[in-house]
Protein backbone atom coordinates (compact mmCIF):
# COMPACT_ATOMS: atom_id res chain seq x y z
CA UNK A 1 0.00 0.00 0.00
CA UNK A 2 1.57 3.32 -1.01
CA UNK A 3 0.24 6.76 -0.29
CA UNK A 4 1.57 10.11 -1.41
CA UNK A 5 2.54 12.02 1.68
CA UNK A 6 3.02 15.72 0.98
CA UNK A 7 6.18 17.15 2.47
CA UNK A 8 5.54 19.38 5.47
CA UNK A 9 8.12 22.02 6.37
CA UNK A 10 7.43 23.59 9.76
CA UNK A 11 9.11 26.53 11.50
CA UNK A 12 9.26 26.13 15.28
CA UNK A 13 10.21 29.61 16.45
CA UNK A 14 10.30 28.72 20.16
CA UNK A 15 10.71 31.85 22.35
CA UNK A 16 11.79 34.05 19.47
CA UNK A 17 10.34 36.90 17.38
CA UNK A 18 8.22 39.86 18.46
CA UNK A 19 5.04 40.75 16.56
CA UNK A 20 7.07 43.06 14.35
CA UNK A 21 9.55 40.28 13.52
CA UNK A 22 6.70 37.90 12.75
CA UNK A 23 5.03 40.32 10.33
CA UNK A 24 8.32 41.10 8.67
CA UNK A 25 9.13 37.40 8.19
CA UNK A 26 5.69 36.56 6.78
CA UNK A 27 5.77 39.46 4.33
CA UNK A 28 9.17 38.32 3.07
CA UNK A 29 8.10 34.68 2.87
CA UNK A 30 4.97 35.60 0.90
CA UNK A 31 7.12 37.43 -1.63
CA UNK A 32 9.22 34.32 -2.31
CA UNK A 33 8.82 31.76 -5.04
CA UNK A 34 8.14 28.58 -3.06
CA UNK A 35 7.80 25.02 -4.22
CA UNK A 36 4.42 23.35 -3.76
CA UNK A 37 4.89 22.02 -0.25
CA UNK A 38 2.96 22.30 3.00
CA UNK A 39 4.48 25.21 4.91
CA UNK A 40 3.69 25.75 8.57
CA UNK A 41 4.77 28.46 10.99
CA UNK A 42 4.65 28.07 14.77
CA UNK A 43 5.07 31.51 16.39
CA UNK A 44 4.46 32.30 20.06
CA UNK A 45 0.86 32.48 21.29
CA UNK A 46 0.82 36.28 21.28
CA UNK A 47 1.53 36.52 17.55
CA UNK A 48 -0.97 33.95 16.31
CA UNK A 49 -3.88 36.26 15.50
CA UNK A 50 -1.61 38.79 13.88
CA UNK A 51 0.12 36.07 11.88
CA UNK A 52 -3.26 34.67 10.77
CA UNK A 53 -4.27 38.07 9.40
CA UNK A 54 -0.94 38.57 7.72
CA UNK A 55 -0.97 35.15 6.05
CA UNK A 56 -4.31 36.05 4.48
CA UNK A 57 -5.36 33.84 1.62
CA UNK A 58 -1.97 32.22 1.06
CA UNK A 59 -1.42 28.52 1.65
CA UNK A 60 0.92 29.12 4.60
CA UNK A 61 -0.46 27.33 7.66
CA UNK A 62 -0.23 28.32 11.28
CA UNK A 63 0.21 26.43 14.50
CA UNK A 64 0.84 26.89 18.22
CA UNK A 65 3.82 25.45 20.09
CA UNK A 66 1.74 24.04 22.94
CA UNK A 67 -1.81 23.83 24.28
CA UNK A 68 -3.37 23.40 27.69
CA UNK A 69 -4.37 19.92 28.81
CA UNK A 70 -7.48 21.47 30.35
CA UNK A 71 -10.57 22.69 28.58
CA UNK A 72 -10.85 25.96 30.53
CA UNK A 73 -10.82 27.29 34.06
CA UNK A 74 -8.47 28.47 36.79
CA UNK A 75 -5.17 27.64 35.10
CA UNK A 76 -3.26 30.93 34.95
CA UNK A 77 -0.96 31.26 32.00
CA UNK A 78 -2.52 28.43 30.01
CA UNK A 79 -4.04 28.68 26.53
CA UNK A 80 -6.84 26.29 25.59
CA UNK A 81 -7.40 24.47 22.31
CA UNK A 82 -10.69 26.34 21.96
CA UNK A 83 -8.80 29.65 22.13
CA UNK A 84 -6.44 28.49 19.39
CA UNK A 85 -8.95 27.10 16.96
CA UNK A 86 -9.69 30.39 15.15
CA UNK A 87 -6.08 31.13 14.31
CA UNK A 88 -4.40 27.70 14.16
CA UNK A 89 -4.38 24.70 11.88
CA UNK A 90 -1.89 22.70 13.93
CA UNK A 91 -0.61 22.46 17.47
CA UNK A 92 2.72 21.00 18.51
CA UNK A 93 2.50 18.72 21.53
CA UNK A 94 5.18 17.12 23.70
CA UNK A 95 8.23 18.95 22.35
CA UNK A 96 11.34 17.84 24.25
CA UNK A 97 11.75 21.35 25.67
CA UNK A 98 8.26 21.06 27.22
CA UNK A 99 9.11 17.63 28.54
CA UNK A 100 12.46 18.82 29.92
CA UNK A 101 11.75 22.28 31.32
CA UNK A 102 8.10 21.79 32.26
CA UNK A 103 8.32 18.12 33.20
CA UNK A 104 5.53 17.29 30.81
CA UNK A 105 4.54 13.65 30.99
CA UNK A 106 3.11 11.30 28.38
CA UNK A 107 -0.19 11.38 30.28
CA UNK A 108 -0.32 15.15 29.83
CA UNK A 109 0.64 14.81 26.19
CA UNK A 110 -2.27 12.41 25.80
CA UNK A 111 -4.71 14.93 27.34
CA UNK A 112 -3.37 17.73 25.15
CA UNK A 113 -3.87 15.65 22.02
CA UNK A 114 -7.41 14.98 23.16
CA UNK A 115 -8.13 18.70 23.61
CA UNK A 116 -6.53 19.54 20.28
CA UNK A 117 -8.56 16.98 18.37
CA UNK A 118 -11.79 17.99 20.08
CA UNK A 119 -11.21 21.58 18.96
CA UNK A 120 -10.49 20.50 15.38
CA UNK A 121 -6.77 21.20 15.57
CA UNK A 122 -4.20 18.86 14.00
CA UNK A 123 -1.70 17.62 16.57
CA UNK A 124 2.03 17.29 15.93
CA UNK A 125 3.24 14.73 18.44
CA UNK A 126 6.97 15.11 19.16
CA UNK A 127 8.93 12.05 20.20
CA UNK A 128 12.65 11.39 20.58
CA UNK A 129 15.38 10.11 22.83
CA UNK A 130 18.01 12.00 24.83
CA UNK A 131 21.74 11.47 24.37
CA UNK A 132 21.86 9.38 27.53
CA UNK A 133 19.00 7.16 26.43
CA UNK A 134 20.60 6.62 23.04
CA UNK A 135 23.92 5.67 24.64
CA UNK A 136 22.07 3.14 26.77
CA UNK A 137 20.45 1.59 23.70
CA UNK A 138 16.99 2.77 24.72
CA UNK A 139 16.06 4.76 21.60
CA UNK A 140 13.26 2.49 20.42
CA UNK A 141 11.93 1.87 23.95
CA UNK A 142 11.67 5.59 24.59
CA UNK A 143 9.95 6.29 21.29
CA UNK A 144 7.57 3.39 21.80
CA UNK A 145 6.53 4.59 25.26
CA UNK A 146 5.88 8.10 23.96
CA UNK A 147 3.74 6.75 21.12
CA UNK A 148 1.80 4.21 23.17
CA UNK A 149 1.08 6.50 26.12
CA UNK A 150 0.67 9.66 24.07
CA UNK A 151 -1.81 8.04 21.69
CA UNK A 152 -3.57 5.84 24.21
CA UNK A 153 -7.33 5.67 23.72
CA UNK A 154 -7.63 7.34 20.31
CA UNK A 155 -9.06 5.75 17.21
CA UNK A 156 -7.26 6.05 13.91
CA UNK A 157 -10.07 8.22 12.59
CA UNK A 158 -9.44 10.73 15.36
CA UNK A 159 -5.74 10.80 14.51
CA UNK A 160 -6.12 11.04 10.75
CA UNK A 161 -4.53 14.50 10.54
CA UNK A 162 -1.88 13.89 13.17
CA UNK A 163 1.78 14.40 12.32
CA UNK A 164 4.54 12.68 14.28
CA UNK A 165 7.81 14.57 14.64
CA UNK A 166 10.89 12.50 15.37
CA UNK A 167 13.26 14.82 17.20
CA UNK A 168 16.30 13.19 18.78
CA UNK A 169 17.01 15.53 21.69
CA UNK A 170 20.78 15.32 21.18
CA UNK A 171 20.42 16.62 17.62
CA UNK A 172 18.36 19.70 18.52
CA UNK A 173 20.39 22.90 18.63
CA UNK A 174 20.14 23.79 22.31
CA UNK A 175 19.55 20.11 23.06
CA UNK A 176 21.70 17.91 25.27
CA UNK A 177 24.67 16.82 23.19
CA UNK A 178 26.05 17.09 19.71
CA UNK A 179 23.73 19.59 18.02
CA UNK A 180 24.61 17.73 14.86
CA UNK A 181 21.67 16.42 12.95
CA UNK A 182 21.03 12.69 13.11
CA UNK A 183 22.67 10.81 10.27
CA UNK A 184 20.28 10.13 7.46
CA UNK A 185 20.52 6.45 8.31
CA UNK A 186 19.57 7.08 11.96
CA UNK A 187 16.61 9.18 10.86
CA UNK A 188 15.44 6.55 8.37
CA UNK A 189 15.67 3.80 11.00
CA UNK A 190 13.74 5.82 13.59
CA UNK A 191 11.05 6.80 11.08
CA UNK A 192 10.73 3.17 9.99
CA UNK A 193 10.37 2.13 13.63
CA UNK A 194 7.70 4.76 14.29
CA UNK A 195 5.75 3.80 11.16
CA UNK A 196 5.97 0.15 12.15
CA UNK A 197 4.55 0.94 15.57
CA UNK A 198 1.71 2.99 14.09
CA UNK A 199 0.90 -0.03 11.96
CA UNK A 200 0.85 -2.30 15.02
CA UNK A 201 -1.20 0.16 17.06
CA UNK A 202 -3.65 1.12 14.31
CA UNK A 203 -3.45 -0.22 10.75
CA UNK A 204 -1.15 -0.40 7.76
CA UNK A 205 -3.23 2.16 5.92
CA UNK A 206 -3.06 4.58 8.85
CA UNK A 207 0.70 4.10 9.17
CA UNK A 208 1.22 4.69 5.46
CA UNK A 209 -0.90 7.84 5.46
CA UNK A 210 0.59 9.45 8.57
CA UNK A 211 3.37 11.96 8.03
CA UNK A 212 6.49 11.53 10.12
CA UNK A 213 8.74 14.57 10.00
CA UNK A 214 12.29 14.94 11.29
CA UNK A 215 13.57 17.69 13.58
CA UNK A 216 17.03 18.49 14.92
CA UNK A 217 19.55 20.81 13.25
CA UNK A 218 17.88 20.78 9.83
CA UNK A 219 19.51 23.40 7.60
CA UNK A 220 19.36 24.37 3.92
CA UNK A 221 22.64 22.50 3.44
CA UNK A 222 21.39 19.15 4.77
CA UNK A 223 17.68 19.40 3.95
CA UNK A 224 17.81 17.63 0.60
CA UNK A 225 19.59 14.54 1.84
CA UNK A 226 17.24 14.21 4.82
CA UNK A 227 14.02 15.05 3.06
CA UNK A 228 14.70 12.75 0.13
CA UNK A 229 15.34 9.85 2.51
CA UNK A 230 12.90 6.96 2.83
CA UNK A 231 9.98 7.70 5.16
CA UNK A 232 11.01 11.28 5.98
CA UNK A 233 7.93 13.37 5.21
CA UNK A 234 9.15 16.78 6.20
CA UNK A 235 11.09 18.79 8.72
CA UNK A 236 10.45 20.58 11.99
CA UNK A 237 13.00 23.36 11.92
CA UNK A 238 14.09 25.47 14.89
CA UNK A 239 17.20 27.64 14.56
CA UNK A 240 17.36 27.61 10.76
CA UNK A 241 13.72 28.72 10.48
CA UNK A 242 14.34 32.08 12.14
CA UNK A 243 15.89 33.55 9.03
CA UNK A 244 13.55 33.77 6.07
CA UNK A 245 16.25 33.02 3.47
CA UNK A 246 17.30 29.94 5.34
CA UNK A 247 13.72 28.71 5.90
CA UNK A 248 12.83 29.31 2.24
CA UNK A 249 15.98 27.40 1.32
CA UNK A 250 14.72 24.41 3.27
CA UNK A 251 11.24 24.65 1.74
CA UNK A 252 12.78 24.74 -1.74
CA UNK A 253 15.45 22.10 -1.00
P1 LIG B 1 16.69 22.99 15.74
O1 LIG B 1 15.35 22.73 16.58
O2 LIG B 1 16.32 22.95 14.29
O3 LIG B 1 17.17 24.35 16.19
O4 LIG B 1 17.65 21.91 16.10
C1 LIG B 1 14.39 21.80 16.17
C2 LIG B 1 13.27 21.73 17.19
O5 LIG B 1 13.53 21.75 18.39
O6 LIG B 1 12.10 21.67 16.79
Amino acid sequence: MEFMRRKLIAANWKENKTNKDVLDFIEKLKAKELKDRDVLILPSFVSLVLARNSIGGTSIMLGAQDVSENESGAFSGEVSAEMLRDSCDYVMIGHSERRKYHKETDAQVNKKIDKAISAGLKPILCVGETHEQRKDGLTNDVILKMLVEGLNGFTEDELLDMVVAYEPVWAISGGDASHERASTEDAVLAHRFIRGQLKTMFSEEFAEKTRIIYGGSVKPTNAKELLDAEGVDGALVGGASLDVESFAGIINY
Side-chain angles (χ1 to χ4, degrees):
M1 225 182 298
E2 269 219 32
F3 289 92
M4 263 302 290
R5 296 184 298 264
R6 262 173 81 78
K7 299 283 186 201
L8 170 65
I9 316 293
N12 174 15
W13 284 344
K14 310 191 179 185
E15 192 185 335
N16 292 292
K17 293 201 188 291
T18 62
N19 281 337
K20 183 176 167 298
D21 301 333
V22 170
L23 286 182
D24 186 54
F25 184 105
I26 291 174
E27 285 314 311
K28 287 186 176 142
L29 189 64
K30 284 196 312 199
K32 293 210 169 291
E33 194 79 44
L34 298 177
K35 289 193 182 164
D36 184 26
R37 300 199 160 119
D38 283 357
V39 176
L40 170 66
I41 293 174
L42 307 158
S44 79
F45 286 132
V46 294
S47 300
L48 284 168
V49 172
L50 192 94
R52 170 56 65 201
N53 293 336
S54 161
I55 280 165
T58 71
S59 61
I60 300 170
M61 294 182 293
L62 208 61
Q65 299 172 19
D66 188 28
V67 63
S68 172
E69 69 194 78
N70 301 296
E71 206 168 300
S72 64
F75 303 102
S76 300
E78 293 291 313
V79 176
S80 75
E82 199 62 31
M83 294 169 189
L84 295 174
R85 79 186 313 168
D86 291 339
S87 50
C88 291
D89 306 288
Y90 283 87
V91 60
M92 187 170 75
I93 296 175
H95 189 280
S96 59
E97 287 149 15
R98 300 295 315 170
R99 295 179 190 261
K100 180 177 172 188
Y101 300 121
H102 302 272
K103 306 284 172 274
E104 234 176 73
T105 64
D106 291 311
Q108 287 174 294
V109 165
N110 184 267
K111 285 190 190 168
K112 290 180 178 205
I113 295 175
D114 180 50
K115 295 296 172 296
I117 294 170
S118 304
L121 296 166
K122 300 170 182 171
I124 302 175
L125 168 61
C126 302
V127 302
E129 79 288 1
T130 62
H131 181 59
E132 200 64 27
Q133 291 163 334
R134 188 170 192 87
K135 260 191 357 206
D136 293 343
L138 297 173
T139 299
N140 287 354
D141 295 345
V142 169
I143 295 173
L144 181 60
K145 179 176 180 295
M146 289 176 171
L147 288 175
V148 169
E149 296 186 12
L151 301 179
N152 181 36
F154 299 115
T155 65
E156 62 176 83
D157 281 351
E158 288 172 318
L159 298 174
L160 219 51
D161 293 319
M162 172 186 69
V163 172
V164 177
Y166 171 59
E167 293 211 308
V169 180
W170 48 273
I172 295 175
S173 55
D176 67 358
S178 69
H179 313 164
E180 288 294 321
R181 72 168 175 96
S183 71
T184 303
E185 195 188 351
D186 284 339
V188 167
L189 286 176
H191 284 226
R192 203 180 284 161
F193 177 76
I194 292 167
R195 206 174 303 284
Q197 292 311 317
L198 293 178
K199 180 177 162 188
T200 307
M201 291 163 64
F202 299 100
S203 69
E204 182 171 5
E205 182 174 336
F206 176 80
E208 287 302 319
K209 278 182 177 167
T210 300
R211 288 189 286 193
I212 304 172
I213 64 177
Y214 167 83
S217 299
V218 177
K219 298 186 175 65
T221 44
N222 60 32
K224 182 163 173 56
E225 187 183 327
L226 271 167
L227 288 158
D228 277 347
E230 175 210 308
V232 179
D233 305 316
L236 183 52
V237 190
S241 74
L242 294 173
D243 175 73
V244 72
E245 297 302 329
S246 152
F247 186 54
I250 297 172
I251 296 168
N252 287 338
Y253 71 86

